[in-house]
């Protein structure tokens, strides 16, 4: 791709940079991502990017924010109770992770403090407080929920395309407990398994609510 000379208008803005950066990581992975490679992809001089984004670390934040924007949109008629908000957010987050498995590790390894990320957390904790959950629970719950989501989805998206993994096999003499449970792990990575595990997390949060006198 022909590159514009330094100092000429590149027609860039943050949105165009974000779209190209996400597409580049989706295709080639984070290991090969950098300012120069992105500039080549856009056909501009690397210095043109610095007018909009100050270096690689800032670019990684732009990428994170771009994929998180896919999660926060609230469809018309979506539930507003805290469990409904948590379930919708979790499933939208899962879908995003499978769309962008090479980008997803950024969300796990970097602090997410963009307005997009904070808006999603605000929606969740506000719904929890409105439901009467103690502030201590509302403060801890997002950490618990996203701890589960990040760990589970990192394991699932790192193993290949979406879909259940093969049933694991264990030597029943060496690992009798694991062998007895092996069939229970047949749906690893499936939506059904995700729903089941998400339910355990939400049940735990719900159990911290004050009980009626």
């Amino acid at each position: 791709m022909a590159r514009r000379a330094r100092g000429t208008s590149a027609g860039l803005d943050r949105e165009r940079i974000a779209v190209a950066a996400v597409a580049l990581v989706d295709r080639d992975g984070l290991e090969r991502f950098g300012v120069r490679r992105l500039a080549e992809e856009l056909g501009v001089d690397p210095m043109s990017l610095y007018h909009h984004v100050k270096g690689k670390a800032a670019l990684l934040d732009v990428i994170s924010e771009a994929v998180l924007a896919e999660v926060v949109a609230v469809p018309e008629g979506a539930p507003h109770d805290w469990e409904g908000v948590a379930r919708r957010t979790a499933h939208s987050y899962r879908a995003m992770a499978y769309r962008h498995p090479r980008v997803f590790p950024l969300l796990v390894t970097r602090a997410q403090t963009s307005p997009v990320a904070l808006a999603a957390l605000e929606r969740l904790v506000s719904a929890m407080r409105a439901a009467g959950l103690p502030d201590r629970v509302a403060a801890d719950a997002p950490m618990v929920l996203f701890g589960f989501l990040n760990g589970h989805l990192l394991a699932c998206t790192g193993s290949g395309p979406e879909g259940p993994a093969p049933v694991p096999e264990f030597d029943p003499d060496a690992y009798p407990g694991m062998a007895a449970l092996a069939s229970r792990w047949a749906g690893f990575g499936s939506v059904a398994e995700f729903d089941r595990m998400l339910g355990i997390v939400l049940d735990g949060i719900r159990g911290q609510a004050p009980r009626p006198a």
Side-chain angles (χ1 to χ4, degrees), residues 142-173:
M143 301 293 289
V144 173
L145 177 60
F146 281 93
F148 157 66
L149 292 174
N150 286 338
H152 179 72
L153 293 172
L154 195 61
C156 291
T157 59
S159 61
E162 181 173 6
V167 178
E169 295 184 5
F170 300 99
D171 181 346
D173 294 325

Side-chain angles (χ1 to χ4, degrees), residues 20-77:
V22 170
L24 188 57
V25 176
D26 280 343
R27 190 186 72 203
D28 296 338
L30 286 166
E31 301 80 7
R32 299 183 60 195
F33 179 77
V35 175
R36 289 189 176 276
R37 293 205 70 238
L38 179 59
E40 290 174 2
E41 195 75 11
L42 289 164
V44 301
D45 187 278
M47 291 306 297
S48 299
L49 295 177
Y50 286 102
H51 291 300
H52 303 275
V53 184
K54 305 301 181 184
K56 183 176 180 180
L59 271 174
L60 296 178
D61 290 336
V62 167
I63 293 169
S64 297
E65 187 170 2
V67 297
L68 283 174
E70 300 176 14
V71 176
V72 299
V74 181
E76 187 175 352

